[in-house]
């Protein structure tokens, strides 16, 4: 009886091994796509070789051998910063035809890879957001088409915190379609004197117009003129800062296929 129980226990181990080993072998059977591509087709190679042209926000793909005449492509893609998986079946014939076509094409170069980077911003959304300096004026378009504009306070836990004129708003990374910001605010100190002078003159002119309408005493007239000039100088500082922001080069990142198409037109 004890011998029978021991034999049953060993039989269970053997049966488990027979079931698990084929599965382990199946997972290890990654197909070498071509000699120059290797086992993994990346995003730049997919754009160059046009393998999965119908997969938006493609990230990478690998081919697995299920049996001698059945193969499976496992394709990862990004949807609103979330990585998802899709599968596609191939026969030996269809996979061989794909490999033959790829071998006839010119190999991708480093220069070609770099030229594709502008169309792959969706792969480095987090990196882009982490590298935006706090204090920048940022515009974010969400998945509902609404723009949120404000000063960047922080980017933590995959959420962007913006100080808008009325409140602090948090925008999850997964809800963004496009982000615009200025990497570097230009500085033209030689413009300050001109802008401040024009703003002070405009403030002086406005108060002079007020003097003519109200006809105050001589002392009040000069008081008004002085105050108008002071307010003009204060406004000039704001005009200068705003001008530097608006005239600085804007950086735009599309985070969805539709937004990338708009930016590339």
């Amino acid at each position: 009886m004890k011998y029978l129980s021991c034999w049953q226990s060993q039989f269970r181990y053997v049966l488990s091994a027979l079931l698990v080993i084929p599965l382990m072998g199946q997972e290890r059977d990654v197909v070498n796509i071509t000699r120059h591509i290797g086992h993994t087709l990346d995003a730049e190679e997919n754009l160059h070789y046009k393998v999965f042209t119908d997969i938006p926000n493609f990230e990478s793909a690998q081919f697995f051998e299920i049996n001698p005449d059945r193969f499976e492509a496992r394709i990862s893609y990004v949807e609103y910063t979330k990585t998802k998986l899709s599968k596609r079946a191939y026969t030996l014939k269809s996979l061989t035809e794909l490999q033959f076509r790829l071998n006839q094409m010119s190999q991708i170069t480093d220069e070609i890879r770099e030229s594709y980077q502008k169309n792959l911003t969706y792969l480095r959304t987090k990196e882009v957001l982490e590298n935006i300096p706090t204090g920048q004026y940022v515009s974010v378009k969400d998945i509902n088409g609404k723009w949120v504009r404000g000063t960047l306070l922080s980017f933590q836990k995959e959420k962007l915190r913006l100080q808008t004129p009325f409140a602090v708003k948090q925008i999850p990374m997964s809800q963004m379609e496009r982000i615009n910001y200025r990497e570097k605010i230009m500085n033209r100190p030689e413009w300050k004197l001109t802008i401040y002078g024009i703003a002070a003159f405009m403030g002086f002119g406005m108060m002079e117009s007020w003097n003519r309408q109200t006809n105050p005493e001589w002392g009040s007239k000069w008081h008004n003129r002085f105050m108008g000039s002071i307010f003009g100088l204060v406004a000039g500082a704001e005009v200068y800062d705003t001008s530097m922001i608006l005239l600085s080069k804007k950086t735009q990142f599309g985070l969805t296929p539709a937004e990338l198409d708009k930016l590339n037109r």
Side-chain angles (χ1 to χ4, degrees):
M1 192 70 178
K2 184 177 180 180
Y3 174 78
L4 181 61
S5 176
C6 181
W7 184 88
Q8 288 176 340
S9 177
Q10 291 178 349
F11 177 76
R12 284 199 300 269
Y13 289 130
V14 172
L15 181 60
S16 298
L18 291 174
L19 292 174
V20 171
I21 289 174
L23 293 176
M24 293 174 61
Q26 177 178 313
E27 290 298 316
R28 287 197 300 266
D29 287 339
V30 184
V31 176
N32 194 32
I33 303 171
T34 65
R35 183 177 56 82
H36 54 280
I37 293 177
H39 291 92
T40 303
L41 179 76
D42 61 32
E44 291 89 350
E45 290 168 338
N46 186 57
L47 286 173
H48 180 68
Y49 297 114
K50 296 179 173 59
V51 181
F52 299 104
T53 57
D54 58 334
I55 302 292
N57 286 10
F58 177 94
E59 183 178 45
S60 64
Q62 288 186 321
F63 289 81
F64 291 82
E65 182 180 355
I66 306 304
N67 59 52
D69 193 46
R70 184 187 167 205
F71 298 83
E72 182 180 83
R74 299 179 187 177
I75 309 157
S76 65
Y77 62 97
V78 179
E79 187 174 276
Y80 293 113
T81 72
K82 304 289 185 181
T83 301
K84 297 191 175 183
L85 184 68
S86 177
K87 296 181 181 180
R88 189 166 295 181
Y90 283 80
T91 62
L92 177 60
K93 179 182 178 182
S94 61
L95 180 59
T96 303
E97 289 174 347
L98 173 62
Q99 291 174 319
F100 179 79
R101 180 177 72 80
L102 296 178
N103 279 317
Q104 301 307 305
M105 297 178 66
S106 59
Q107 295 186 25
I108 189 171
T109 63
D110 292 338
E111 290 76 14
I112 294 174
R113 282 184 178 278
E114 290 180 6
S115 69
Y116 288 139
Q117 290 300 313
K118 65 179 182 179
N119 294 320
L120 299 174
T121 51
Y122 60 86
L123 293 179
R124 51 191 182 94
T125 302
K126 189 172 182 179
E127 176 189 345
V128 168
L129 296 177
E130 288 176 339
N131 289 330
I132 300 177
T134 56
Q136 287 274 10
Y137 184 78
V138 174
S139 302
V140 179
K141 183 181 180 183
D142 64 21
I143 58 177
N144 297 316
K146 181 181 177 181
W147 284 94
V148 180
R149 297 175 175 86
T151 303
L152 176 63
L153 298 178
S154 66
F155 175 67
Q156 295 177 341
K157 298 180 180 179
E158 298 191 348
K159 289 184 179 180
L160 208 65
R161 294 179 68 246
L162 298 182
Q163 176 65 64
T164 68
F166 304 104
V168 174
K169 293 194 175 181
Q170 296 191 44
I171 309 171
M173 189 172 71
S174 59
Q175 300 294 308
M176 301 178 191
E177 282 198 340
R178 187 197 294 190
I179 182 167
N180 302 338
Y181 72 99
R182 290 166 173 84
E183 293 186 50
K184 186 177 181 181
I185 304 301
M186 66 184 296
N187 186 26
R188 295 288 186 273
E190 65 274 15
W191 292 9
K192 283 186 177 181
L193 183 60
T194 301
I195 293 176
Y196 283 26
I198 292 174
F201 180 77
M202 291 180 64
F204 179 90
M206 291 177 62
M207 295 312 296
E208 184 63 23
S209 176
W210 174 259
N211 286 338
R212 291 180 180 180
Q213 293 179 22
T214 58
N215 195 26
E217 296 181 358
W218 182 86
S220 297
K221 285 183 179 180
W222 280 103
H223 177 268
N224 292 340
R225 291 166 183 164
F226 177 76
M227 293 303 296
S229 299
I230 294 298
F231 285 130
L233 287 172
V234 173
E238 293 296 325
V239 171
Y240 173 78
D241 291 340
T242 303
S243 300
M244 293 301 99
I245 292 174
L246 295 177
L247 294 174
S248 299
K249 184 180 179 182
K250 183 186 292 184
T251 301
Q252 303 183 81
F253 283 99
L255 308 178
T256 64
E259 291 301 318
L260 283 170
D261 288 341
K262 291 178 183 177
L263 293 176
N264 292 331
R265 286 174 187 170

